[in-house]
Amino acid sequence: MKFADFDPALFLRDYWQKRPLLIRSPWNEWRNPLEPDELAGLACEEGVESRLITRDGDRLAMENGPLAEERFGELGSGPWTLLVQAVDHHAPDVAALIEPFRFVPDWRIDDVMVSYATDGGGVGPHFDQYDVFLVQGLGKRRWRVGPRCDSATPLLPHEDLRLIADFEATGDWLLEPGDILYVPPCFAHDGVAVGDGCMTYSIGFRAPSRAELIQNWCEHQADGMMEEDRYADPDLTIQANPGEIAAPAIDRLHAMVMEALSDRDAFARWFGLFTSAPKYAEADWRPEEPIGTRQVCALLAQGVPLSRNPASRFSFIRRQEGTVLLFVDGHCFENMGDAALLAERLCAERTMVADPRLAESAPVVALIETLIDQGSLAFEDED
């Protein structure tokens, strides 16, 4: 699917992280990529993150999946909403929805959550800490958007949901199939299904918090430090008051910490590993049997397309000397030689045909073999 009438540069300049935007069906054509029954089936599977939200009067209740198949038959006629996370990992047509939004860097893209709701179903007024494009797939949904919120915004008491206590809408739109609503971080919003059979695709983005970055970067650096790397003061002199933590000691301690954290190249490498780590680390996408070098060579020579696993995260960092670091699912690949150009193509193209002559390149073959064996890449005619 492609956008027919949408200017990404204009959107980034005037709307991205600034204000909401309703985009009326910008596609060349719209086709709903997933059937409701398929979504319900995913919600019943182990290892798939799902939630069921039901309404009883003004009270919302939430159940975590996996759900039993018979649960759907017990729901009755009241409003309810099914939410399934990372559907793009399991449904190629849903994964294809991400492509038009890749004017935002891949490392910022999280996943596609899909919701199905009956008439009146919704999750209540809330706000998220990330950008989201809400694509209406089937049926209709009324979206109301309010002002920007923060940690001081009053919330209703609820064990599972962060619902805004005093929601006041500043915008009100009815979305039909193919329409898109962009909501920047922290803007209050509330979506309610109008009629049964409402499906919405939420393309969500990642925004690591400062606290998250500091905690993980510090832990990473600390893990690699030697036990004997300790505070030392060979120039210690007698203090007037032994109870004082003197300024020279503070300066030395502060320098110890800052020196360990200020290496930009080390930070870049760590961030590539951190941000490419799989969303669900426990998921095992490896093939049943390793592919083998000969088979990689043969398929490359035949021009068989390579396809990235939709659940995998690919990115690269270009270093000052012109080399690249490739990051795939929490692994770093460097010193790739003539595999570097292929690495950049793998990051740019979700499906590609490599030059058959690369079958003669040992670094290229080794990289492809490794990525296939770890479940990040596959030849399209392979299971």
Side-chain angles (χ1 to χ4, degrees), residues 67-104:
L67 302 171
E69 290 185 25
E70 56 268 21
R71 181 68 182 97
F72 295 102
E74 302 167 353
L75 291 172
S77 59
W80 56 270
T81 299
L82 174 66
L83 304 167
V84 183
Q85 208 73 42
V87 177
D88 52 304
H89 293 191
H90 308 280
D93 287 346
V94 174
L97 277 180
I98 293 175
E99 193 65 29
F101 299 97
R102 292 182 72 202
F103 54 84
V104 179

Short mmCIF file of all heavy atoms in Angstrom, two decimals, residues 67-104:
data_model
loop_
_atom_site.label_atom_id
_atom_site.label_comp_id
_atom_site.label_asym_id
_atom_site.label_seq_id
_atom_site.Cartn_x
_atom_site.Cartn_y
_atom_site.Cartn_z
N LEU A 67 -6.31 -15.74 25.36
CA LEU A 67 -7.72 -15.95 25.67
C LEU A 67 -8.16 -17.32 25.18
O LEU A 67 -7.69 -17.82 24.17
CB LEU A 67 -8.57 -14.87 25.01
CG LEU A 67 -8.23 -13.42 25.37
CD1 LEU A 67 -9.02 -12.47 24.47
CD2 LEU A 67 -8.53 -13.14 26.83
N ALA A 68 -9.07 -17.92 25.91
CA ALA A 68 -9.68 -19.18 25.47
C ALA A 68 -10.66 -18.88 24.33
O ALA A 68 -11.33 -17.84 24.34
CB ALA A 68 -10.40 -19.85 26.63
N GLU A 69 -10.73 -19.77 23.36
CA GLU A 69 -11.61 -19.54 22.21
C GLU A 69 -13.05 -19.31 22.63
O GLU A 69 -13.75 -18.46 22.07
CB GLU A 69 -11.54 -20.73 21.25
CG GLU A 69 -10.22 -20.85 20.51
CD GLU A 69 -10.23 -21.96 19.48
OE1 GLU A 69 -11.33 -22.31 19.01
OE2 GLU A 69 -9.16 -22.49 19.14
N GLU A 70 -13.49 -20.04 23.64
CA GLU A 70 -14.88 -19.92 24.07
C GLU A 70 -15.18 -18.58 24.74
O GLU A 70 -16.35 -18.21 24.91
CB GLU A 70 -15.27 -21.07 25.01
CG GLU A 70 -14.39 -21.21 26.24
CD GLU A 70 -13.22 -22.15 26.03
OE1 GLU A 70 -12.84 -22.38 24.85
OE2 GLU A 70 -12.68 -22.64 27.03
N ARG A 71 -14.13 -17.84 25.10
CA ARG A 71 -14.35 -16.55 25.78
C ARG A 71 -15.12 -15.60 24.89
O ARG A 71 -15.95 -14.81 25.39
CB ARG A 71 -12.99 -15.93 26.17
CG ARG A 71 -13.11 -14.59 26.91
CD ARG A 71 -13.71 -14.77 28.28
NE ARG A 71 -13.89 -13.51 28.98
CZ ARG A 71 -15.03 -12.82 29.03
NH1 ARG A 71 -16.11 -13.28 28.38
NH2 ARG A 71 -15.11 -11.69 29.69
N PHE A 72 -14.87 -15.63 23.59
CA PHE A 72 -15.56 -14.71 22.68
C PHE A 72 -17.05 -15.01 22.61
O PHE A 72 -17.86 -14.10 22.43
CB PHE A 72 -14.93 -14.78 21.29
CG PHE A 72 -13.51 -14.29 21.26
CD1 PHE A 72 -12.45 -15.18 21.22
CD2 PHE A 72 -13.22 -12.94 21.30
CE1 PHE A 72 -11.13 -14.73 21.20
CE2 PHE A 72 -11.92 -12.47 21.29
CZ PHE A 72 -10.87 -13.38 21.25
N GLY A 73 -17.43 -16.27 22.78
CA GLY A 73 -18.85 -16.61 22.78
C GLY A 73 -19.57 -16.20 24.04
O GLY A 73 -20.81 -16.20 24.08
N GLU A 74 -18.81 -15.84 25.07
CA GLU A 74 -19.40 -15.45 26.35
C GLU A 74 -19.59 -13.95 26.49
O GLU A 74 -20.14 -13.49 27.50
CB GLU A 74 -18.49 -15.93 27.50
CG GLU A 74 -18.25 -17.42 27.52
CD GLU A 74 -17.12 -17.82 28.47
OE1 GLU A 74 -16.44 -16.91 29.00
OE2 GLU A 74 -16.92 -19.04 28.66
N LEU A 75 -19.17 -13.18 25.50
CA LEU A 75 -19.13 -11.74 25.67
C LEU A 75 -20.50 -11.06 25.59
O LEU A 75 -20.67 -9.97 26.12
CB LEU A 75 -18.18 -11.13 24.63
CG LEU A 75 -16.70 -11.45 24.85
CD1 LEU A 75 -15.87 -10.98 23.66
CD2 LEU A 75 -16.21 -10.80 26.13
N GLY A 76 -21.44 -11.67 24.91
CA GLY A 76 -22.77 -11.08 24.84
C GLY A 76 -22.80 -9.86 23.94
O GLY A 76 -21.92 -9.64 23.08
N SER A 77 -23.78 -9.00 24.17
CA SER A 77 -24.01 -7.86 23.27
C SER A 77 -23.43 -6.55 23.78
O SER A 77 -23.54 -5.53 23.12
CB SER A 77 -25.52 -7.68 23.06
OG SER A 77 -26.17 -7.46 24.31
N GLY A 78 -22.81 -6.56 24.95
CA GLY A 78 -22.25 -5.33 25.49
C GLY A 78 -21.00 -4.90 24.75
O GLY A 78 -20.38 -5.68 24.03
N PRO A 79 -20.57 -3.64 24.92
CA PRO A 79 -19.37 -3.16 24.24
C PRO A 79 -18.11 -3.86 24.74
O PRO A 79 -17.93 -4.05 25.94
CB PRO A 79 -19.33 -1.66 24.61
CG PRO A 79 -20.70 -1.34 25.10
CD PRO A 79 -21.23 -2.59 25.71
N TRP A 80 -17.26 -4.25 23.82
CA TRP A 80 -15.97 -4.82 24.19
C TRP A 80 -14.94 -4.53 23.10
O TRP A 80 -15.28 -4.25 21.95
CB TRP A 80 -16.04 -6.32 24.47
CG TRP A 80 -16.59 -7.19 23.37
CD1 TRP A 80 -17.90 -7.53 23.18
CD2 TRP A 80 -15.85 -7.83 22.31
NE1 TRP A 80 -18.02 -8.34 22.07
CE2 TRP A 80 -16.78 -8.54 21.53
CE3 TRP A 80 -14.50 -7.88 21.97
CZ2 TRP A 80 -16.40 -9.29 20.41
CZ3 TRP A 80 -14.11 -8.61 20.86
CH2 TRP A 80 -15.05 -9.30 20.10
N THR A 81 -13.68 -4.59 23.50
CA THR A 81 -12.57 -4.30 22.59
C THR A 81 -11.48 -5.35 22.78
O THR A 81 -11.11 -5.67 23.91
CB THR A 81 -11.96 -2.90 22.88
OG1 THR A 81 -12.96 -1.91 22.68
CG2 THR A 81 -10.78 -2.63 21.96
N LEU A 82 -10.98 -5.87 21.68
CA LEU A 82 -9.84 -6.78 21.70
C LEU A 82 -8.63 -6.04 21.14
O LEU A 82 -8.70 -5.44 20.06
CB LEU A 82 -10.13 -8.02 20.84
CG LEU A 82 -8.97 -9.00 20.66
CD1 LEU A 82 -8.60 -9.65 21.98
CD2 LEU A 82 -9.32 -10.07 19.62
N LEU A 83 -7.53 -6.08 21.89
CA LEU A 83 -6.29 -5.43 21.47
C LEU A 83 -5.20 -6.49 21.35
O LEU A 83 -4.96 -7.24 22.30
CB LEU A 83 -5.85 -4.38 22.49
CG LEU A 83 -6.87 -3.27 22.82
CD1 LEU A 83 -6.43 -2.52 24.06
CD2 LEU A 83 -7.01 -2.32 21.65
N VAL A 84 -4.53 -6.54 20.21
CA VAL A 84 -3.45 -7.50 20.00
C VAL A 84 -2.21 -6.73 19.56
O VAL A 84 -2.24 -5.99 18.58
CB VAL A 84 -3.82 -8.57 18.96
CG1 VAL A 84 -2.69 -9.59 18.83
CG2 VAL A 84 -5.11 -9.29 19.37
N GLN A 85 -1.13 -6.94 20.30
CA GLN A 85 0.11 -6.20 20.06
C GLN A 85 0.96 -6.91 19.01
O GLN A 85 0.90 -8.13 18.86
CB GLN A 85 0.89 -6.11 21.37
CG GLN A 85 1.79 -4.90 21.50
CD GLN A 85 1.02 -3.62 21.73
OE1 GLN A 85 0.06 -3.58 22.50
NE2 GLN A 85 1.44 -2.57 21.03
N ALA A 86 1.77 -6.14 18.29
CA ALA A 86 2.77 -6.66 17.35
C ALA A 86 2.18 -7.65 16.36
O ALA A 86 2.78 -8.69 16.07
CB ALA A 86 3.93 -7.30 18.12
N VAL A 87 1.03 -7.33 15.80
CA VAL A 87 0.42 -8.21 14.81
C VAL A 87 1.27 -8.27 13.54
O VAL A 87 1.25 -9.26 12.81
CB VAL A 87 -1.02 -7.74 14.50
CG1 VAL A 87 -1.66 -8.59 13.40
CG2 VAL A 87 -1.87 -7.79 15.77
N ASP A 88 2.05 -7.23 13.30
CA ASP A 88 2.94 -7.22 12.13
C ASP A 88 3.97 -8.35 12.19
O ASP A 88 4.50 -8.76 11.15
CB ASP A 88 3.65 -5.88 12.01
CG ASP A 88 4.34 -5.44 13.29
OD1 ASP A 88 3.65 -5.37 14.33
OD2 ASP A 88 5.55 -5.18 13.27
N HIS A 89 4.27 -8.87 13.38
CA HIS A 89 5.21 -9.99 13.50
C HIS A 89 4.63 -11.28 12.93
O HIS A 89 5.37 -12.20 12.59
CB HIS A 89 5.56 -10.23 14.97
CG HIS A 89 6.34 -9.12 15.59
ND1 HIS A 89 6.95 -9.24 16.82
CD2 HIS A 89 6.64 -7.87 15.15
CE1 HIS A 89 7.57 -8.11 17.12
NE2 HIS A 89 7.38 -7.26 16.12
N HIS A 90 3.31 -11.35 12.83
CA HIS A 90 2.65 -12.62 12.48
C HIS A 90 1.87 -12.55 11.17
O HIS A 90 1.52 -13.61 10.63
CB HIS A 90 1.69 -13.01 13.61
CG HIS A 90 2.33 -13.02 14.97
ND1 HIS A 90 3.10 -14.07 15.41
CD2 HIS A 90 2.34 -12.10 15.96
CE1 HIS A 90 3.55 -13.81 16.64
NE2 HIS A 90 3.10 -12.62 16.99
N ALA A 91 1.57 -11.36 10.68
CA ALA A 91 0.75 -11.21 9.48
C ALA A 91 1.47 -10.30 8.49
O ALA A 91 1.56 -9.08 8.70
CB ALA A 91 -0.62 -10.62 9.84
N PRO A 92 2.01 -10.85 7.39
CA PRO A 92 2.77 -10.04 6.43
C PRO A 92 2.00 -8.84 5.89
O PRO A 92 2.59 -7.78 5.67
CB PRO A 92 3.11 -11.04 5.32
CG PRO A 92 3.09 -12.38 6.00
CD PRO A 92 2.01 -12.29 7.03
N ASP A 93 0.69 -9.00 5.65
CA ASP A 93 -0.08 -7.88 5.12
C ASP A 93 -0.19 -6.74 6.12
O ASP A 93 -0.29 -5.57 5.74
CB ASP A 93 -1.48 -8.35 4.70
CG ASP A 93 -1.45 -9.18 3.43
OD1 ASP A 93 -0.41 -9.17 2.74
OD2 ASP A 93 -2.46 -9.84 3.13
N VAL A 94 -0.19 -7.07 7.40
CA VAL A 94 -0.20 -6.03 8.43
C VAL A 94 1.19 -5.38 8.51
O VAL A 94 1.32 -4.17 8.66
CB VAL A 94 -0.63 -6.61 9.80
CG1 VAL A 94 -0.49 -5.56 10.90
CG2 VAL A 94 -2.06 -7.11 9.73
N ALA A 95 2.25 -6.19 8.41
CA ALA A 95 3.60 -5.64 8.41
C ALA A 95 3.79 -4.64 7.27
O ALA A 95 4.52 -3.65 7.41
CB ALA A 95 4.62 -6.77 8.30
N ALA A 96 3.11 -4.88 6.14
CA ALA A 96 3.24 -3.99 4.99
C ALA A 96 2.69 -2.60 5.28
O ALA A 96 3.05 -1.63 4.60
CB ALA A 96 2.53 -4.59 3.77
N LEU A 97 1.85 -2.47 6.30
CA LEU A 97 1.31 -1.16 6.67
C LEU A 97 2.40 -0.20 7.14
O LEU A 97 2.23 1.01 7.10
CB LEU A 97 0.27 -1.31 7.79
CG LEU A 97 -1.16 -1.68 7.41
CD1 LEU A 97 -2.01 -1.75 8.67
CD2 LEU A 97 -1.75 -0.68 6.44
N ILE A 98 3.50 -0.75 7.64
CA ILE A 98 4.57 0.09 8.17
C ILE A 98 5.29 0.85 7.06
O ILE A 98 5.75 1.98 7.26
CB ILE A 98 5.57 -0.77 8.97
CG1 ILE A 98 4.89 -1.32 10.23
CG2 ILE A 98 6.81 0.03 9.34
CD1 ILE A 98 5.76 -2.28 11.02
N GLU A 99 5.38 0.26 5.88
CA GLU A 99 6.20 0.81 4.80
C GLU A 99 5.90 2.28 4.50
O GLU A 99 6.84 3.09 4.36
CB GLU A 99 6.04 -0.04 3.53
CG GLU A 99 7.06 0.25 2.46
CD GLU A 99 8.49 -0.10 2.88
OE1 GLU A 99 8.67 -1.01 3.71
OE2 GLU A 99 9.43 0.58 2.40
N PRO A 100 4.64 2.71 4.37
CA PRO A 100 4.39 4.12 4.05
C PRO A 100 4.84 5.09 5.13
O PRO A 100 4.96 6.29 4.86
CB PRO A 100 2.87 4.18 3.87
CG PRO A 100 2.44 2.78 3.62
CD PRO A 100 3.38 1.93 4.38
N PHE A 101 5.07 4.58 6.34
CA PHE A 101 5.44 5.46 7.46
C PHE A 101 6.94 5.46 7.72
O PHE A 101 7.39 6.01 8.73
CB PHE A 101 4.70 5.03 8.72
CG PHE A 101 3.20 5.11 8.59
CD1 PHE A 101 2.45 3.99 8.26
CD2 PHE A 101 2.55 6.32 8.77
CE1 PHE A 101 1.07 4.06 8.13
CE2 PHE A 101 1.17 6.41 8.63
CZ PHE A 101 0.43 5.28 8.31
N ARG A 102 7.72 4.91 6.79
CA ARG A 102 9.17 4.82 7.01
C ARG A 102 9.89 6.12 6.66
O ARG A 102 11.11 6.15 6.57
CB ARG A 102 9.76 3.64 6.24
CG ARG A 102 9.33 2.29 6.79
CD ARG A 102 9.96 1.14 6.05
NE ARG A 102 11.39 1.03 6.36
CZ ARG A 102 12.27 0.42 5.57
NH1 ARG A 102 11.88 -0.09 4.40
NH2 ARG A 102 13.53 0.33 5.93
N PHE A 103 9.13 7.23 6.53
CA PHE A 103 9.79 8.53 6.50
C PHE A 103 10.26 8.88 7.91
O PHE A 103 11.01 9.84 8.10
CB PHE A 103 8.85 9.61 5.93
CG PHE A 103 7.52 9.73 6.62
CD1 PHE A 103 7.38 10.47 7.78
CD2 PHE A 103 6.40 9.09 6.10
CE1 PHE A 103 6.16 10.60 8.41
CE2 PHE A 103 5.16 9.21 6.73
CZ PHE A 103 5.05 9.96 7.89
N VAL A 104 9.81 8.13 8.90
CA VAL A 104 10.37 8.17 10.25
C VAL A 104 11.39 7.03 10.33
O VAL A 104 11.13 5.93 9.86
CB VAL A 104 9.27 7.98 11.31
CG1 VAL A 104 9.85 7.99 12.72
CG2 VAL A 104 8.20 9.06 11.17
#
